[in-house]
Amino acid sequence: MSEPQHPASEPVRRSLLLIIPLVAFVVLAGLFFLRLRSGVDPAAIPSALIGKPVPAFELPGVPGLEAEGRPVPGLSSADLKGGVTLVNFWASWCAPCQVEHPMLMRLAREPGLRLVGIDYKDAPENGRRFLARNGVPFSAVGLDASGRVGIDFGVYGVPETFIVGPDGIIRDKLVGIVTPENLNAVLAKIRAAAGPGGQAAAR
């Protein structure tokens, strides 16, 4: 003999199915709110490489890329010594990189600052067109088509920028874009990495 049916149980199940996602959302929102109130910047993700030498690499340049009528060279870890250098990982397919680019053009005008780029997981022709359209702020650009160098640096998304000291040691990591609002903080980090003299690498 079959068990008696409980018609009232079906609405209860439907109500639970509606309530459970709502409860989960409230819990996640609460955790996010608490993190904001704690003063922890969600973008301030530390890098395990801070305080360590730049990973060894040698990257070709972007074919056909020129600046001021001269070919823009590729990039290697050996180039990141002798002064403070900003290493910016970017890509033509990266929307935040498009937003950040005017600030990189501005940083490139800072006296004595050396800014280099790594075109991350990009087609060479797309990277070349991106810079031809928006300007070339970099004194050198390495093409990391496979993303291998990005993996060695611990890059999980572009743009990311690393501040490398004169000794080739990674001093800091900037996650997210450089903006007019955080530019002074970025310049302060560059000066701190340069040491007492505050002088970055010559271009």
Side-chain angles (χ1 to χ4, degrees), residues 37-148:
R37 290 294 299 273
S38 70
V40 176
D41 182 0
I45 302 172
S47 170
L49 290 181
I50 292 177
K52 296 182 180 179
V54 168
F57 70 90
E58 187 167 356
L59 291 172
V62 175
L65 179 62
E66 294 187 352
E68 298 178 354
R70 292 176 295 180
V72 177
L75 185 67
S76 74
S77 50
D79 300 326
L80 306 181
K81 289 187 176 181
V84 175
T85 307
L86 260 63
V87 182
N88 178 260
F89 283 81
W90 62 279
S92 65
W93 46 261
C94 161
C97 297
Q98 181 77 47
V99 175
E100 179 183 57
H101 201 80
M103 295 307 301
L104 297 183
M105 295 297 292
R106 179 173 171 179
L107 276 172
R109 296 195 295 270
E110 288 290 322
L113 175 61
R114 184 168 193 241
L115 177 61
V116 299
I118 294 182
D119 191 7
Y120 178 70
K121 290 186 176 180
D122 208 358
E125 61 274 16
N126 292 341
R128 183 179 66 252
R129 281 196 292 265
F130 178 92
L131 292 177
R133 182 173 65 251
N134 296 291
V136 183
F138 309 115
S139 60
V141 179
L143 178 62
D144 186 18
S146 69
R148 178 71 253 179

Side-chain angles (χ1 to χ4, degrees), residues 180-197:
E181 290 75 23
N182 67 20
L183 178 63
N184 286 336
V186 170
L187 291 173
K189 289 182 177 184
I190 294 169
R191 287 191 291 269

